[in-house]
PDB file of all heavy atoms in Angstrom:
ATOM      1  N   ALA A 458      77.430  44.009 102.017  1.00  0.00           N
ATOM      2  CA  ALA A 458      77.790  43.558 100.660  1.00  0.00           C
ATOM      3  C   ALA A 458      78.256  44.755  99.813  1.00  0.00           C
ATOM      4  O   ALA A 458      78.935  44.549  98.844  1.00  0.00           O
ATOM      5  CB  ALA A 458      76.519  42.929 100.006  1.00  0.00           C
ATOM      6  N   ARG A 459      77.903  45.975 100.223  1.00  0.00           N
ATOM      7  CA  ARG A 459      78.222  47.124  99.371  1.00  0.00           C
ATOM      8  C   ARG A 459      79.707  47.295  99.160  1.00  0.00           C
ATOM      9  O   ARG A 459      80.167  47.426  98.026  1.00  0.00           O
ATOM     10  CB  ARG A 459      77.653  48.391  99.998  1.00  0.00           C
ATOM     11  CG  ARG A 459      76.196  48.612  99.627  1.00  0.00           C
ATOM     12  CD  ARG A 459      75.615  49.717 100.497  1.00  0.00           C
ATOM     13  NE  ARG A 459      76.272  50.961 100.251  1.00  0.00           N
ATOM     14  CZ  ARG A 459      76.239  52.005 101.086  1.00  0.00           C
ATOM     15  NH1 ARG A 459      75.569  51.900 102.220  1.00  0.00           N
ATOM     16  NH2 ARG A 459      76.838  53.124 100.790  1.00  0.00           N
ATOM     17  N   ALA A 460      80.456  47.302 100.255  1.00  0.00           N
ATOM     18  CA  ALA A 460      81.868  47.641 100.122  1.00  0.00           C
ATOM     19  C   ALA A 460      82.644  46.595  99.282  1.00  0.00           C
ATOM     20  O   ALA A 460      83.319  46.976  98.308  1.00  0.00           O
ATOM     21  CB  ALA A 460      82.476  47.736 101.509  1.00  0.00           C
ATOM     22  N   PRO A 461      82.540  45.259  99.610  1.00  0.00           N
ATOM     23  CA  PRO A 461      83.289  44.311  98.764  1.00  0.00           C
ATOM     24  C   PRO A 461      82.843  44.299  97.316  1.00  0.00           C
ATOM     25  O   PRO A 461      83.688  44.220  96.405  1.00  0.00           O
ATOM     26  CB  PRO A 461      83.005  42.950  99.437  1.00  0.00           C
ATOM     27  CG  PRO A 461      81.902  43.177 100.357  1.00  0.00           C
ATOM     28  CD  PRO A 461      81.826  44.609 100.727  1.00  0.00           C
ATOM     29  N   SER A 462      81.546  44.460  97.070  1.00  0.00           N
ATOM     30  CA  SER A 462      81.152  44.410  95.670  1.00  0.00           C
ATOM     31  C   SER A 462      81.613  45.679  94.936  1.00  0.00           C
ATOM     32  O   SER A 462      82.058  45.586  93.788  1.00  0.00           O
ATOM     33  CB  SER A 462      79.625  44.248  95.525  1.00  0.00           C
ATOM     34  OG  SER A 462      78.949  45.005  96.509  1.00  0.00           O
ATOM     35  N   ALA A 463      81.611  46.803  95.676  1.00  0.00           N
ATOM     36  CA  ALA A 463      82.116  48.032  95.009  1.00  0.00           C
ATOM     37  C   ALA A 463      83.571  47.848  94.674  1.00  0.00           C
ATOM     38  O   ALA A 463      84.006  48.202  93.562  1.00  0.00           O
ATOM     39  CB  ALA A 463      81.937  49.204  95.975  1.00  0.00           C
ATOM     40  N   LEU A 464      84.297  47.272  95.606  1.00  0.00           N
ATOM     41  CA  LEU A 464      85.738  47.088  95.390  1.00  0.00           C
ATOM     42  C   LEU A 464      85.980  46.165  94.209  1.00  0.00           C
ATOM     43  O   LEU A 464      86.779  46.442  93.314  1.00  0.00           O
ATOM     44  CB  LEU A 464      86.370  46.509  96.668  1.00  0.00           C
ATOM     45  CG  LEU A 464      87.899  46.431  96.631  1.00  0.00           C
ATOM     46  CD1 LEU A 464      88.484  47.817  96.622  1.00  0.00           C
ATOM     47  CD2 LEU A 464      88.411  45.685  97.841  1.00  0.00           C
ATOM     48  N   ALA A 465      85.247  45.066  94.203  1.00  0.00           N
ATOM     49  CA  ALA A 465      85.377  44.077  93.106  1.00  0.00           C
ATOM     50  C   ALA A 465      85.052  44.711  91.771  1.00  0.00           C
ATOM     51  O   ALA A 465      85.747  44.528  90.778  1.00  0.00           O
ATOM     52  CB  ALA A 465      84.461  42.874  93.376  1.00  0.00           C
ATOM     53  N   TRP A 466      83.973  45.537  91.825  1.00  0.00           N
ATOM     54  CA  TRP A 466      83.546  46.170  90.551  1.00  0.00           C
ATOM     55  C   TRP A 466      84.624  47.148  90.070  1.00  0.00           C
ATOM     56  O   TRP A 466      84.955  47.179  88.919  1.00  0.00           O
ATOM     57  CB  TRP A 466      82.223  46.882  90.776  1.00  0.00           C
ATOM     58  CG  TRP A 466      81.418  47.022  89.479  1.00  0.00           C
ATOM     59  CD1 TRP A 466      81.861  46.859  88.201  1.00  0.00           C
ATOM     60  CD2 TRP A 466      80.057  47.337  89.398  1.00  0.00           C
ATOM     61  NE1 TRP A 466      80.872  47.027  87.300  1.00  0.00           N
ATOM     62  CE2 TRP A 466      79.709  47.328  88.023  1.00  0.00           C
ATOM     63  CE3 TRP A 466      79.037  47.598  90.324  1.00  0.00           C
ATOM     64  CZ2 TRP A 466      78.416  47.592  87.576  1.00  0.00           C
ATOM     65  CZ3 TRP A 466      77.798  47.861  89.812  1.00  0.00           C
ATOM     66  CH2 TRP A 466      77.462  47.870  88.488  1.00  0.00           C
ATOM     67  N   GLN A 467      85.180  47.881  91.015  1.00  0.00           N
ATOM     68  CA  GLN A 467      86.239  48.856  90.639  1.00  0.00           C
ATOM     69  C   GLN A 467      87.450  48.122  90.091  1.00  0.00           C
ATOM     70  O   GLN A 467      87.988  48.512  89.053  1.00  0.00           O
ATOM     71  CB  GLN A 467      86.633  49.678  91.857  1.00  0.00           C
ATOM     72  CG  GLN A 467      87.374  50.938  91.474  1.00  0.00           C
ATOM     73  CD  GLN A 467      87.870  51.698  92.687  1.00  0.00           C
ATOM     74  OE1 GLN A 467      88.163  51.124  93.706  1.00  0.00           O
ATOM     75  NE2 GLN A 467      87.914  53.016  92.570  1.00  0.00           N
ATOM     76  N   THR A 468      87.820  47.028  90.775  1.00  0.00           N
ATOM     77  CA  THR A 468      88.950  46.222  90.281  1.00  0.00           C
ATOM     78  C   THR A 468      88.678  45.758  88.832  1.00  0.00           C
ATOM     79  O   THR A 468      89.581  45.845  87.988  1.00  0.00           O
ATOM     80  CB  THR A 468      89.126  45.029  91.184  1.00  0.00           C
ATOM     81  OG1 THR A 468      89.075  45.463  92.527  1.00  0.00           O
ATOM     82  CG2 THR A 468      90.443  44.335  90.935  1.00  0.00           C
ATOM     83  N   LEU A 469      87.428  45.299  88.658  1.00  0.00           N
ATOM     84  CA  LEU A 469      87.077  44.834  87.314  1.00  0.00           C
ATOM     85  C   LEU A 469      87.229  45.968  86.304  1.00  0.00           C
ATOM     86  O   LEU A 469      87.831  45.805  85.241  1.00  0.00           O
ATOM     87  CB  LEU A 469      85.609  44.329  87.340  1.00  0.00           C
ATOM     88  CG  LEU A 469      85.069  43.922  85.958  1.00  0.00           C
ATOM     89  CD1 LEU A 469      85.789  42.655  85.458  1.00  0.00           C
ATOM     90  CD2 LEU A 469      83.578  43.669  86.013  1.00  0.00           C
ATOM     91  N   ALA A 470      86.655  47.149  86.702  1.00  0.00           N
ATOM     92  CA  ALA A 470      86.731  48.280  85.784  1.00  0.00           C
ATOM     93  C   ALA A 470      88.175  48.603  85.470  1.00  0.00           C
ATOM     94  O   ALA A 470      88.543  48.838  84.313  1.00  0.00           O
ATOM     95  CB  ALA A 470      86.066  49.496  86.448  1.00  0.00           C
ATOM     96  N   ARG A 471      89.037  48.520  86.465  1.00  0.00           N
ATOM     97  CA  ARG A 471      90.421  48.848  86.219  1.00  0.00           C
ATOM     98  C   ARG A 471      91.075  47.839  85.346  1.00  0.00           C
ATOM     99  O   ARG A 471      91.844  48.193  84.439  1.00  0.00           O
ATOM    100  CB  ARG A 471      91.186  48.918  87.573  1.00  0.00           C
ATOM    101  CG  ARG A 471      90.790  50.178  88.305  1.00  0.00           C
ATOM    102  CD  ARG A 471      91.886  50.624  89.235  1.00  0.00           C
ATOM    103  NE  ARG A 471      91.366  51.816  89.925  1.00  0.00           N
ATOM    104  CZ  ARG A 471      91.478  51.967  91.242  1.00  0.00           C
ATOM    105  NH1 ARG A 471      92.049  51.055  91.956  1.00  0.00           N
ATOM    106  NH2 ARG A 471      90.999  53.060  91.794  1.00  0.00           N
ATOM    107  N   SER A 472      90.818  46.565  85.596  1.00  0.00           N
ATOM    108  CA  SER A 472      91.469  45.568  84.779  1.00  0.00           C
ATOM    109  C   SER A 472      90.983  45.686  83.330  1.00  0.00           C
ATOM    110  O   SER A 472      91.778  45.512  82.400  1.00  0.00           O
ATOM    111  CB  SER A 472      91.198  44.176  85.356  1.00  0.00           C
ATOM    112  OG  SER A 472      89.839  43.852  85.246  1.00  0.00           O
ATOM    113  N   LEU A 473      89.669  46.040  83.161  1.00  0.00           N
ATOM    114  CA  LEU A 473      89.188  46.244  81.799  1.00  0.00           C
ATOM    115  C   LEU A 473      89.943  47.432  81.155  1.00  0.00           C
ATOM    116  O   LEU A 473      90.349  47.368  80.013  1.00  0.00           O
ATOM    117  CB  LEU A 473      87.685  46.576  81.822  1.00  0.00           C
ATOM    118  CG  LEU A 473      86.810  45.356  82.122  1.00  0.00           C
ATOM    119  CD1 LEU A 473      85.338  45.777  82.191  1.00  0.00           C
ATOM    120  CD2 LEU A 473      86.980  44.304  81.045  1.00  0.00           C
ATOM    121  N   ARG A 474      90.134  48.483  81.982  1.00  0.00           N
ATOM    122  CA  ARG A 474      90.840  49.654  81.453  1.00  0.00           C
ATOM    123  C   ARG A 474      92.286  49.294  81.096  1.00  0.00           C
ATOM    124  O   ARG A 474      92.798  49.710  80.075  1.00  0.00           O
ATOM    125  CB  ARG A 474      90.840  50.750  82.544  1.00  0.00           C
ATOM    126  CG  ARG A 474      91.627  51.973  82.246  1.00  0.00           C
ATOM    127  CD  ARG A 474      90.740  53.110  81.734  1.00  0.00           C
ATOM    128  NE  ARG A 474      91.545  54.210  81.254  1.00  0.00           N
ATOM    129  CZ  ARG A 474      91.677  54.565  79.961  1.00  0.00           C
ATOM    130  NH1 ARG A 474      91.044  53.828  79.027  1.00  0.00           N
ATOM    131  NH2 ARG A 474      92.392  55.581  79.602  1.00  0.00           N
ATOM    132  N   THR A 475      92.940  48.497  81.982  1.00  0.00           N
ATOM    133  CA  THR A 475      94.331  48.065  81.737  1.00  0.00           C
ATOM    134  C   THR A 475      94.401  47.309  80.429  1.00  0.00           C
ATOM    135  O   THR A 475      95.319  47.528  79.603  1.00  0.00           O
ATOM    136  CB  THR A 475      94.801  47.143  82.880  1.00  0.00           C
ATOM    137  OG1 THR A 475      94.457  47.787  84.097  1.00  0.00           O
ATOM    138  CG2 THR A 475      96.260  46.903  82.819  1.00  0.00           C
ATOM    139  N   ALA A 476      93.425  46.429  80.203  1.00  0.00           N
ATOM    140  CA  ALA A 476      93.430  45.652  78.973  1.00  0.00           C
ATOM    141  C   ALA A 476      93.345  46.602  77.775  1.00  0.00           C
ATOM    142  O   ALA A 476      94.110  46.447  76.797  1.00  0.00           O
ATOM    143  CB  ALA A 476      92.205  44.713  78.952  1.00  0.00           C
ATOM    144  N   GLU A 477      92.497  47.655  77.891  1.00  0.00           N
ATOM    145  CA  GLU A 477      92.385  48.611  76.799  1.00  0.00           C
ATOM    146  C   GLU A 477      93.723  49.276  76.546  1.00  0.00           C
ATOM    147  O   GLU A 477      94.209  49.356  75.418  1.00  0.00           O
ATOM    148  CB  GLU A 477      91.397  49.715  77.185  1.00  0.00           C
ATOM    149  CG  GLU A 477      90.018  49.518  76.672  1.00  0.00           C
ATOM    150  CD  GLU A 477      89.082  50.557  77.308  1.00  0.00           C
ATOM    151  OE1 GLU A 477      89.499  51.756  77.324  1.00  0.00           O
ATOM    152  OE2 GLU A 477      87.987  50.201  77.767  1.00  0.00           O
ATOM    153  N   LEU A 478      94.368  49.724  77.663  1.00  0.00           N
ATOM    154  CA  LEU A 478      95.640  50.414  77.534  1.00  0.00           C
ATOM    155  C   LEU A 478      96.684  49.510  76.937  1.00  0.00           C
ATOM    156  O   LEU A 478      97.516  49.950  76.133  1.00  0.00           O
ATOM    157  CB  LEU A 478      96.106  50.905  78.903  1.00  0.00           C
ATOM    158  CG  LEU A 478      95.347  52.108  79.477  1.00  0.00           C
ATOM    159  CD1 LEU A 478      95.809  52.411  80.892  1.00  0.00           C
ATOM    160  CD2 LEU A 478      95.535  53.320  78.621  1.00  0.00           C
TER     161      LEU A 478
END
Side-chain angles (χ1 to χ4, degrees):
Chain A
R459 275 169 63 199
S462 40
L464 187 67
W466 206 343
Q467 197 184 31
T468 314
L469 175 68
R471 287 207 183 133
S472 66
L473 286 177
R474 174 99 188 108
T475 312
E477 263 173 45
L478 287 175

